[in-house]
Amino acid sequence: MTSTPLSPTPRSTVRRNAVRARTDRADLHAVLDAGLIGHLGLAMPSGPVVLPTGYGRDGETLYLHGSSGAASLRAAGAGIPVCFTVTHVDGIVYSRSAFHHSMNHRSAVVQGTARLVTDPDERWHGLAVLTEHLAPGSWDHSRQPDRKELAATAVLALDLTEASVKVRTGPPGEDERDLADPQADWAGVLPLRTVWGEPEPCPLLPAGTPVPERVSSRG
Amino acid sequence: MTSTPLSPTPRSTVRRNAVRARTDRADLHAVLDAGLIGHLGLAMPSGPVVLPTGYGRDGETLYLHGSSGAASLRAAGAGIPVCFTVTHVDGIVYSRSAFHHSMNHRSAVVQGTARLVTDPDERWHGLAVLTEHLAPGSWDHSRQPDRKELAATAVLALDLTEASVKVRTGPPGEDERDLADPQADWAGVLPLRTVWGEPEPCPLLPAGTPVPERVSSRG
């Protein structure tokens, strides 16, 4: 059970626990780019909060956004330390022992002090990056924000300087003694993946409106 | 763009943003039970941390676990406030405006003070709950923890007393003015779901070992 993401330290096993800390920037970027939502943690006066948050990456900068009225965003934008974590679960690892059950996963943990973006050009750029991450092609195919919408939106920037990546892949790590245990009737990985469904057109669209390729090709 | 999970406040729209705070305990339980991983946030001396964490639910108690050597777990178990968040992304909401782009999602946010479980019976029970949540049926089909493994594992309990659920479903909320915008060529939802793949047997299993129903029926 310590083979969970919280506890990547391998024990002496037949097949070592495959959790690895990655240091390559390409690994970090890949984990972030493959995600849609991250979890933003910050220490509020009332205690820590962890909020699901959309994001987008431009080079070594993550852009986050939310309502300019949200206390959490105001706090983060005021320059308090934050942690932003993106996790993908790739499979359940069934082991011959309860202890070595685990998850195959990829996770990125970014720590730093978020910066409230105030420069109008960078705000605009950040919003484009966020929209394009969520819905590639949408920025140029939707009405862009007006002044009122801009005022309602806080954009934060977070440097990727302090970031770590962990990846676990492969079959279970097992103790030698468990290999012939008759109680353990199976071991292996049950993979898990995320798939797109059929696009569901807005009911207010004229009938027969084609689904654009930027949406349908995502599937 | 404020239609993201961070900013559920609806604006005046043709179709109101469908983010709803739910108060039903059944909604809370359903969001938690459908997840595999949550994000545990706590304020460490070095700043906030957000860690992907396995969990299991028994009634109004969440059990979390990890290495007893992890500084974060020791801190959480010492009785500091934590926040534990589980999020499902159900679809990308394409709107006629960048501002109303959003995600359909379900999220549960639990706040409280985690308790380090020290009673041997409750520890054993918590580990069974955690294992069964990750891999239903595995507790009775794998070797259960020995003394050394137990010592290496910290089990935390977190009450669901202070918990909130948010759910967004349905098509985009739109401004009246955007409905006839020729630039906005499509609007709707691209659903996203998580599916199981084919079980991958451990290479150390004897050839021809059947996949037990508790694994295959999950697909």
Side-chain angles (χ1 to χ4, degrees):
Chain A
M1 292 155 289
T2 59
S3 302
T4 57
L6 265 181
S7 50
T9 315
R11 282 162 54 89
S12 166
T13 54
V14 170
R15 186 176 300 271
R16 284 191 179 275
N17 182 312
V19 176
R20 293 279 178 274
R22 305 284 181 104
T23 50
D24 194 323
R25 303 306 285 178
D27 288 325
L28 172 66
H29 295 170
V31 170
L32 293 172
D33 294 354
L36 287 166
I37 210 156
H39 284 82
L40 176 69
L42 56 169
M44 299 291 284
S46 58
V49 293
V50 176
L51 299 168
T53 304
Y55 65 96
R57 183 181 70 85
D58 180 22
E60 297 297 319
T61 303
L62 271 192
Y63 289 105
L64 318 175
H65 74 331
S67 163
S68 54
S72 54
L73 264 278
R74 280 204 308 270
I80 68 169
V82 301
C83 182
F84 188 75
T85 300
V86 173
T87 306
H88 307 273
V89 178
D90 295 324
I92 308 298
V93 181
Y94 287 77
S95 162
R96 293 158 181 89
S97 65
F99 186 78
H100 285 302
H101 272 68
S102 185
M103 284 184 226
N104 282 340
H105 66 280
R106 293 160 287 149
S107 67
V109 175
V110 183
Q111 291 181 290
T113 300
R115 169 173 62 85
L116 183 67
V117 178
T118 53
D119 175 76
D121 289 345
E122 192 187 1
R123 263 167 69 78
W124 194 259
H125 175 66
L127 293 173
V129 167
L130 280 153
T131 304
E132 287 295 296
H133 182 86
L134 179 70
S138 272
W139 184 252
D140 287 334
H141 283 280
S142 52
R143 180 181 56 74
Q144 294 178 359
D146 64 20
R147 218 165 54 174
K148 206 168 155 189
E149 291 170 343
L150 282 174
T153 308
V155 179
L156 301 180
L158 180 60
D159 275 352
L160 294 180
T161 317
E162 225 184 300
S164 63
V165 174
K166 279 183 186 151
V167 177
R168 192 206 186 281
T169 59
E174 300 287 22
D175 287 357
E176 186 83 47
R177 60 175 161 160
D178 296 327
L179 292 180
D181 187 338
Q183 187 184 17
D185 58 354
W186 197 75
V189 173
L190 183 60
L192 198 63
R193 60 179 203 283
T194 300
V195 297
W196 300 107
E198 283 298 308
E200 299 167 355
C202 173
L204 302 175
L205 273 184
T209 304
V211 179
E213 212 210 321
R214 70 177 189 278
V215 178
S216 61
S217 70
R218 216 171 169 178
Chain B
M1 287 154 293
T2 58
S3 302
T4 57
L6 266 181
S7 50
T9 315
R11 282 161 54 88
S12 167
T13 54
V14 171
R15 187 177 299 271
R16 283 189 180 277
N17 184 313
V19 177
R20 294 277 178 275
R22 305 284 180 104
T23 50
D24 195 324
R25 302 307 285 179
D27 288 325
L28 172 66
H29 295 169
V31 170
L32 293 172
D33 294 354
L36 288 165
I37 209 156
H39 284 80
L40 175 69
L42 57 168
M44 299 291 283
S46 57
V49 293
V50 176
L51 299 168
T53 304
Y55 66 95
R57 183 181 70 85
D58 180 22
E60 297 296 318
T61 302
L62 271 192
Y63 288 106
L64 318 175
H65 74 332
S67 164
S68 54
S72 53
L73 265 278
R74 280 205 308 269
I80 68 168
V82 301
C83 182
F84 188 74
T85 299
V86 173
T87 306
H88 307 273
V89 178
D90 295 323
I92 308 298
V93 180
Y94 288 76
S95 162
R96 293 156 182 91
S97 65
F99 187 78
H100 286 301
H101 272 68
S102 185
M103 283 184 226
N104 281 340
H105 66 280
R106 293 159 287 149
S107 67
V109 176
V110 182
Q111 292 180 290
T113 299
R115 170 172 63 84
L116 183 68
V117 178
T118 53
D119 175 76
D121 289 344
E122 192 187 359
R123 263 167 70 79
W124 195 258
H125 175 67
L127 292 173
V129 167
L130 279 153
T131 304
E132 287 295 295
H133 182 87
L134 180 71
S138 272
W139 185 252
D140 287 333
H141 284 279
S142 53
R143 179 181 57 72
Q144 294 177 0
D146 64 20
R147 215 165 57 174
K148 205 168 157 189
E149 291 171 343
L150 282 174
T153 308
V155 179
L156 301 181
L158 180 60
D159 275 352
L160 295 180
T161 317
E162 226 185 298
S164 63
V165 174
K166 279 186 186 148
V167 177
R168 192 207 187 279
T169 58
E174 299 287 21
D175 288 355
E176 186 82 48
R177 60 175 162 161
D178 296 327
L179 292 180
D181 187 338
Q183 189 185 14
D185 57 355
W186 196 76
V189 173
L190 183 61
L192 198 63
R193 61 181 203 282
T194 299
V195 297
W196 299 107
E198 282 299 307
E200 298 166 356
C202 173
L204 302 175
L205 273 184
T209 303
V211 179
E213 212 210 323
R214 69 178 191 278
V215 178
S216 61
S217 69
R218 219 173 166 175

